[in-house]
Amino acid sequence: MSKRVIKTKSCRDRERLGRLRVRDHRKLEERILRLLDRYEVSPETDKRWLNIGRSCIEQGFMAINRAVFEQKRTELPED
């Protein structure tokens, strides 16, 4: 048996705001990653530290995006 979820206006507004924020985050992340791409071709750049920094930046943006959406645990059929 499927449960129908009715979203309130405030819930829809919050989701819309979250999508807008995440879109802005993705643009910022892309600008930073492109800057790191330019560093990668430079012979003076320590590639190991650059990769560590890139991973931390990607993880940071992922965490921020998850925080914006306040993700809940998934409901299973037996719930």
Side-chain angles (χ1 to χ4, degrees), residues 59-72:
Q59 186 177 25
F61 274 102
M62 181 176 60
I64 292 166
N65 291 338
R66 287 181 65 95
V68 166
F69 276 111
E70 301 176 27
Q71 294 184 355
K72 308 286 190 273

Side-chain angles (χ1 to χ4, degrees), residues 5-23 25 65-72:
V5 177
I6 299 173
K7 295 183 179 180
T8 63
K9 181 181 181 326
S10 64
C11 182
R12 287 190 305 269
D13 289 345
R14 189 170 50 243
E15 287 179 356
R16 182 177 174 277
L17 179 60
R19 284 192 303 273
L20 292 173
R21 287 178 175 168
V22 168
R23 187 181 67 200
H25 299 164
N65 291 338
R66 287 181 65 95
V68 166
F69 276 111
E70 301 176 27
Q71 294 184 355
K72 308 286 190 273

